[in-house]
mmCIF file of all heavy atoms in Angstrom:
data_model
loop_
_atom_site.group_PDB
_atom_site.id
_atom_site.type_symbol
_atom_site.label_atom_id
_atom_site.label_comp_id
_atom_site.label_asym_id
_atom_site.label_seq_id
_atom_site.Cartn_x
_atom_site.Cartn_y
_atom_site.Cartn_z
ATOM 1 N N LYS A 2 108.701 117.530 -56.452
ATOM 2 C CA LYS A 2 109.037 117.738 -55.033
ATOM 3 C C LYS A 2 107.768 117.789 -54.189
ATOM 4 O O LYS A 2 106.781 118.398 -54.580
ATOM 5 C CB LYS A 2 109.824 119.048 -54.876
ATOM 6 C CG LYS A 2 111.255 118.899 -55.305
ATOM 7 C CD LYS A 2 112.081 120.090 -54.913
ATOM 8 C CE LYS A 2 113.533 119.812 -55.396
ATOM 9 N NZ LYS A 2 114.412 120.921 -55.279
ATOM 10 N N ARG A 16 112.898 105.980 -37.095
ATOM 11 C CA ARG A 16 113.827 106.314 -38.189
ATOM 12 C C ARG A 16 113.593 105.427 -39.417
ATOM 13 O O ARG A 16 113.724 105.869 -40.555
ATOM 14 C CB ARG A 16 115.256 106.104 -37.657
ATOM 15 C CG ARG A 16 116.363 106.609 -38.549
ATOM 16 C CD ARG A 16 116.629 108.089 -38.337
ATOM 17 N NE ARG A 16 116.806 108.729 -39.626
ATOM 18 C CZ ARG A 16 117.050 110.037 -39.795
ATOM 19 N NH1 ARG A 16 117.120 110.844 -38.795
ATOM 20 N NH2 ARG A 16 117.200 110.530 -41.003
ATOM 21 N N VAL A 17 113.254 104.172 -39.174
ATOM 22 C CA VAL A 17 113.066 103.236 -40.299
ATOM 23 C C VAL A 17 111.904 103.701 -41.188
ATOM 24 O O VAL A 17 111.955 103.548 -42.403
ATOM 25 C CB VAL A 17 112.854 101.785 -39.790
ATOM 26 C CG1 VAL A 17 111.622 101.664 -38.925
ATOM 27 C CG2 VAL A 17 112.784 100.807 -40.948
ATOM 28 N N GLN A 23 111.245 107.816 -47.581
ATOM 29 C CA GLN A 23 112.016 108.740 -48.462
ATOM 30 C C GLN A 23 112.501 107.991 -49.689
ATOM 31 O O GLN A 23 112.341 108.446 -50.817
ATOM 32 C CB GLN A 23 113.236 109.267 -47.696
ATOM 33 C CG GLN A 23 112.869 110.092 -46.487
ATOM 34 C CD GLN A 23 113.303 111.534 -46.638
ATOM 35 O OE1 GLN A 23 113.544 112.023 -47.747
ATOM 36 N NE2 GLN A 23 113.353 112.251 -45.541
ATOM 37 N N THR A 44 102.651 116.742 -29.897
ATOM 38 C CA THR A 44 102.101 115.391 -29.660
ATOM 39 C C THR A 44 100.581 115.410 -29.545
ATOM 40 O O THR A 44 99.950 116.227 -30.184
ATOM 41 C CB THR A 44 102.750 114.629 -28.467
ATOM 42 O OG1 THR A 44 102.341 115.213 -27.243
ATOM 43 C CG2 THR A 44 104.269 114.657 -28.545
ATOM 44 N N MET A 54 96.817 126.728 -25.618
ATOM 45 C CA MET A 54 98.262 126.600 -25.731
ATOM 46 C C MET A 54 98.689 125.557 -26.776
ATOM 47 O O MET A 54 99.652 125.743 -27.509
ATOM 48 C CB MET A 54 98.856 126.153 -24.375
ATOM 49 C CG MET A 54 98.911 127.236 -23.333
ATOM 50 S SD MET A 54 100.344 128.267 -23.565
ATOM 51 C CE MET A 54 101.603 127.163 -22.896
ATOM 52 N N LYS A 65 104.092 128.042 -41.733
ATOM 53 C CA LYS A 65 105.256 127.782 -42.586
ATOM 54 C C LYS A 65 104.859 127.052 -43.860
ATOM 55 O O LYS A 65 105.342 127.362 -44.949
ATOM 56 C CB LYS A 65 106.248 126.854 -41.847
ATOM 57 C CG LYS A 65 107.324 127.591 -41.080
ATOM 58 C CD LYS A 65 108.245 126.553 -40.410
ATOM 59 C CE LYS A 65 109.185 127.234 -39.470
ATOM 60 N NZ LYS A 65 110.160 128.101 -40.162
ATOM 61 N N PHE A 91 91.271 126.000 -36.840
ATOM 62 C CA PHE A 91 91.691 127.213 -37.579
ATOM 63 C C PHE A 91 90.726 127.553 -38.716
ATOM 64 O O PHE A 91 90.480 128.718 -39.012
ATOM 65 C CB PHE A 91 93.121 127.057 -38.122
ATOM 66 C CG PHE A 91 94.157 126.800 -37.021
ATOM 67 C CD1 PHE A 91 95.219 125.953 -37.250
ATOM 68 C CD2 PHE A 91 94.021 127.411 -35.799
ATOM 69 C CE1 PHE A 91 96.153 125.708 -36.240
ATOM 70 C CE2 PHE A 91 94.951 127.163 -34.765
ATOM 71 C CZ PHE A 91 96.014 126.314 -34.996
ATOM 72 N N GLU A 96 87.718 133.215 -34.423
ATOM 73 C CA GLU A 96 88.171 133.936 -33.220
ATOM 74 C C GLU A 96 89.435 133.297 -32.645
ATOM 75 O O GLU A 96 90.403 133.993 -32.321
ATOM 76 C CB GLU A 96 87.011 133.941 -32.199
ATOM 77 C CG GLU A 96 87.307 134.643 -30.878
ATOM 78 C CD GLU A 96 87.911 136.055 -31.048
ATOM 79 O OE1 GLU A 96 87.593 136.736 -32.026
ATOM 80 O OE2 GLU A 96 88.716 136.452 -30.155
ATOM 81 N N THR A 97 89.449 131.980 -32.588
ATOM 82 C CA THR A 97 90.646 131.283 -32.091
ATOM 83 C C THR A 97 91.805 131.484 -33.067
ATOM 84 O O THR A 97 92.945 131.712 -32.651
ATOM 85 C CB THR A 97 90.333 129.769 -31.879
ATOM 86 O OG1 THR A 97 89.289 129.680 -30.952
ATOM 87 C CG2 THR A 97 91.548 129.026 -31.360
ATOM 88 N N ILE A 101 95.475 133.122 -31.932
ATOM 89 C CA ILE A 101 96.780 132.462 -32.028
ATOM 90 C C ILE A 101 97.663 133.201 -33.048
ATOM 91 O O ILE A 101 98.881 133.373 -32.796
ATOM 92 C CB ILE A 101 96.653 130.979 -32.394
ATOM 93 C CG1 ILE A 101 95.573 130.269 -31.584
ATOM 94 C CG2 ILE A 101 98.006 130.251 -32.274
ATOM 95 C CD1 ILE A 101 95.903 129.887 -30.189
ATOM 96 N N ILE A 116 98.448 116.089 -45.816
ATOM 97 C CA ILE A 116 98.209 114.877 -46.613
ATOM 98 C C ILE A 116 98.943 113.694 -45.987
ATOM 99 O O ILE A 116 100.132 113.775 -45.683
ATOM 100 C CB ILE A 116 98.694 115.079 -48.066
ATOM 101 C CG1 ILE A 116 98.007 116.315 -48.671
ATOM 102 C CG2 ILE A 116 98.402 113.848 -48.927
ATOM 103 C CD1 ILE A 116 98.707 116.796 -49.961
ATOM 104 N N ARG A 123 97.194 107.053 -53.158
ATOM 105 C CA ARG A 123 95.926 106.808 -53.874
ATOM 106 C C ARG A 123 95.744 107.807 -55.019
ATOM 107 O O ARG A 123 95.305 107.455 -56.105
ATOM 108 C CB ARG A 123 94.750 106.897 -52.888
ATOM 109 C CG ARG A 123 93.413 106.602 -53.534
ATOM 110 C CD ARG A 123 92.284 106.602 -52.548
ATOM 111 N NE ARG A 123 92.255 107.848 -51.790
ATOM 112 C CZ ARG A 123 91.512 108.016 -50.698
ATOM 113 N NH1 ARG A 123 90.744 107.064 -50.244
ATOM 114 N NH2 ARG A 123 91.540 109.176 -50.062
ATOM 115 N N PHE A 159 89.220 111.061 -43.537
ATOM 116 C CA PHE A 159 90.235 110.178 -44.071
ATOM 117 C C PHE A 159 89.638 108.969 -44.773
ATOM 118 O O PHE A 159 89.940 108.677 -45.922
ATOM 119 C CB PHE A 159 91.161 109.725 -42.917
ATOM 120 C CG PHE A 159 92.323 108.905 -43.341
ATOM 121 C CD1 PHE A 159 93.445 109.497 -43.932
ATOM 122 C CD2 PHE A 159 92.311 107.521 -43.166
ATOM 123 C CE1 PHE A 159 94.519 108.725 -44.339
ATOM 124 C CE2 PHE A 159 93.396 106.751 -43.564
ATOM 125 C CZ PHE A 159 94.497 107.350 -44.141
ATOM 126 N N ILE A 167 91.409 102.084 -47.305
ATOM 127 C CA ILE A 167 92.512 102.741 -48.013
ATOM 128 C C ILE A 167 93.813 101.946 -47.866
ATOM 129 O O ILE A 167 94.637 101.864 -48.790
ATOM 130 C CB ILE A 167 92.670 104.212 -47.561
ATOM 131 C CG1 ILE A 167 93.593 104.974 -48.495
ATOM 132 C CG2 ILE A 167 93.159 104.326 -46.127
ATOM 133 C CD1 ILE A 167 93.567 106.509 -48.289
ATOM 134 N N PRO A 225 103.579 105.116 -35.566
ATOM 135 C CA PRO A 225 104.709 104.706 -34.717
ATOM 136 C C PRO A 225 104.261 104.206 -33.354
ATOM 137 O O PRO A 225 104.910 103.327 -32.776
ATOM 138 C CB PRO A 225 105.501 106.017 -34.551
ATOM 139 C CG PRO A 225 105.113 106.885 -35.673
ATOM 140 C CD PRO A 225 103.683 106.520 -36.005
ATOM 141 N N HIS A 228 102.837 100.738 -33.840
ATOM 142 C CA HIS A 228 103.962 99.840 -34.145
ATOM 143 C C HIS A 228 104.657 99.443 -32.863
ATOM 144 O O HIS A 228 104.964 98.276 -32.637
ATOM 145 C CB HIS A 228 104.929 100.486 -35.123
ATOM 146 C CG HIS A 228 105.985 99.555 -35.602
ATOM 147 N ND1 HIS A 228 107.092 99.227 -34.863
ATOM 148 C CD2 HIS A 228 106.052 98.798 -36.724
ATOM 149 C CE1 HIS A 228 107.821 98.344 -35.515
ATOM 150 N NE2 HIS A 228 107.206 98.073 -36.643
ATOM 151 N N LYS A 282 111.637 84.748 -46.018
ATOM 152 C CA LYS A 282 112.371 83.672 -46.690
ATOM 153 C C LYS A 282 111.399 82.573 -47.152
ATOM 154 O O LYS A 282 111.541 82.028 -48.249
ATOM 155 C CB LYS A 282 113.414 83.067 -45.738
ATOM 156 C CG LYS A 282 114.681 83.913 -45.678
ATOM 157 C CD LYS A 282 115.792 83.211 -44.897
ATOM 158 C CE LYS A 282 117.059 84.038 -44.984
ATOM 159 N NZ LYS A 282 117.981 83.717 -43.878
#
Side-chain angles (χ1 to χ4, degrees):
Chain A
K2 283 191 179 171
R16 190 84 222 179
V17 62
Q23 297 245 19
T44 72
M54 285 279 283
K65 266 181 189 293
F91 301 143
E96 179 50 30
T97 301
I101 314 282
I116 305 165
R123 183 176 54 191
F159 185 77
I167 193 169
H228 188 280
K282 280 188 174 158

